[in-house]
Amino acid sequence: MNILGIETTCDETAAAVVSRSDDGRGRILSNIVLSQINEHAEFGGVVPEIAARAHVEAVDRIKAMAEAQMSFGALDGIAAAAGPGLIGGVIVGLTTAKAIALAHDKPLLAVNHLEAHALTARLTDGTAFPYCLFLASGGHTQILGVRGVGDYLRLGGTVDDAIGEAFDKTAKLLGLGYPGGPLVEKEAARGDGERFALPRPMTGRADADFSFSGLKTALRLEAEKIAPLSDADVADLCASFQQAVVDVVKDRLRSGLRLFRAQIGSPNALVCAGGVAANQAIRKVLHRVAFEVGTELVAPPPALCTDNAAMIAWAGAERLAVGLTDPLEVAARARWPLDQVAKVKDKLEV
């Protein structure tokens, strides 16, 4: 089957065409992303109103169908991220998908953005269920048990800031720019991670939850003590912050995998997704934790870890393959926990 996917949940306008064979293998025929980084850079973060307007202007300019050399008639379904995300942008993408589905009489697939991240490893690596997912991005930090399409067990999550948000706010505090994650990582590479004694929130607990607000506050207080900051100070602050995050991730993932084994069984893989998964220090500790529990780390390419439409199209294909489609009346959602995503059992009970 061939699926067109549209992604507009944050600051990328994206469209892609993905094919799924009968044996479950996937192939990306096109995957185009138009970034809004320049529009938001001066504000140090994403401005929802600007993002929504930019999506409206960009969505018709993405030539994913032309790049895939495919007609709309050859599609088997139209998928769009219906949430969670910035509601203005979500509405733009979902409305576009509805119009295409209606005009060409194709099934609509309203995809949960988090489910798309959760299923990407099946597109890139054919990973079999069940597996443990570490989802780390600007808007989300979760550990999930992925048991099947639409079947997710939340093992842990952040009680305040997402991990990517913490990186972005650290970069803003230190005057590094936006997006902050890669800039903090670059500075950390030349800094001393032992110079500042920053806290490791939530470590040692039996649950698998995260917290980053206290770490951000501690970093700000250390920066204020030694202001004005030299280049070496900035590098050491970034290195100390990143090392604290790495230690937290290692501890929380160990707890999450213990919960996974207790509630689901042995994972077929530890999967990472989200833009933060591209951080090499975090990637290194993920490999270590996966090795400790006797499983493999599956890390999709960075372009498929950050927001993109190929993952939306693939999630739509996975859902269509098990008979899950959506009516044209389906609404966009700013919040949409994964445990509220419909699965086959739910459809049968209706």
Side-chain angles (χ1 to χ4, degrees):
M1 65 177 71
N2 299 311
I3 304 294
L4 169 66
I6 300 172
E7 157 63 25
T8 55
T9 59
C10 192
D11 59 344
E12 284 91 14
T13 312
V17 179
V18 168
S19 68
R20 184 186 188 277
S21 60
D22 292 340
D23 62 3
R25 295 182 181 181
R27 186 162 63 98
I28 299 173
L29 304 181
S30 66
N31 188 27
I32 301 174
V33 178
L34 300 182
S35 176
Q36 300 176 9
I37 287 178
N38 292 337
E39 287 89 336
H40 301 286
E42 65 178 294
F43 303 102
V46 178
V47 181
E49 293 81 1
I50 294 175
R53 289 198 298 270
H55 287 309
V56 171
E57 295 170 358
V59 72
D60 290 334
R61 295 191 286 109
I62 301 180
K63 306 301 183 183
M65 292 294 292
E67 184 172 299
Q69 297 183 336
M70 184 171 295
S71 68
F72 285 102
L75 293 172
D76 296 285
I78 315 298
L86 301 177
I87 194 63
V90 175
I91 289 172
V92 173
L94 183 58
T95 302
T96 301
K98 288 179 179 181
I100 297 172
L102 180 62
H104 297 279
D105 192 26
K106 302 294 181 181
L108 175 69
L109 303 144
V111 171
N112 182 297
H113 178 89
L114 304 182
E115 180 173 38
H117 277 303
L119 296 175
T120 299
R122 290 173 53 76
L123 167 63
T124 59
D125 294 81
T127 306
F129 300 124
Y131 52 87
C132 184
L133 172 70
F134 175 53
L135 175 57
S137 68
H140 307 282
T141 302
Q142 295 182 25
I143 301 174
L144 300 158
V146 182
R147 297 178 290 199
V149 176
D151 190 2
Y152 310 100
L153 177 64
R154 187 178 185 275
L155 300 169
T158 182
V159 299
D160 42 56
D161 296 332
I163 189 169
E165 181 183 1
F167 270 93
D168 285 342
K169 289 183 177 178
T170 293
K172 187 174 183 178
L173 171 69
L174 299 177
L176 296 179
Y178 175 83
L183 299 172
V184 171
E185 182 180 9
K186 181 179 179 181
E187 290 293 321
R190 64 183 187 87
D192 177 6
E194 303 297 325
R195 178 178 170 187
F196 298 98
L198 299 177
R200 271 66 171 165
M202 309 289 274
T203 56
R205 293 167 51 121
D207 61 42
D209 288 333
F210 296 81
S211 172
F212 294 104
S213 62
L215 175 58
K216 288 190 315 177
T217 299
L219 180 82
R220 176 176 57 78
L221 293 175
E222 292 290 347
E224 290 174 349
K225 286 179 187 177
I226 60 173
L229 302 177
S230 67
D231 289 345
D233 293 333
V234 170
D236 291 345
L237 285 165
C238 287
S240 298
F241 169 80
Q242 182 172 271
Q243 187 57 54
V245 170
V246 166
D247 291 345
V248 168
V249 168
K250 178 171 61 177
D251 180 87
R252 302 290 72 209
L253 269 178
R254 285 171 172 166
S255 292
L257 283 161
R258 283 195 294 269
L259 293 172
F260 188 103
R261 290 194 298 271
Q263 299 181 49
I264 300 175
S266 297
N268 285 317
L270 171 62
V271 174
C272 62
V276 178
N279 180 290
Q280 291 304 303
I282 292 176
R283 185 73 65 92
K284 184 177 179 180
V285 82
L286 294 179
H287 275 289
R288 178 177 174 181
V289 173
F291 177 78
E292 288 175 354
V293 300
T295 191
E296 66 172 334
L297 176 69
V298 174
L304 297 180
C305 280
T306 53
D307 291 351
N308 66 92
M311 71 178 190
I312 302 298
W314 175 253
E318 290 267 73
R319 294 184 69 78
L320 184 59
V322 294
L324 293 169
T325 61
D326 297 280
L328 290 175
E329 296 78 20
V330 66
R333 301 172 69 168
R335 297 184 181 276
W336 190 5
L338 265 178
D339 56 11
Q340 295 179 13
V341 172
K343 51 183 178 291
V344 175
K345 181 181 176 182
D346 300 330
K347 183 178 179 181
L348 295 176
E349 290 176 346
V350 174

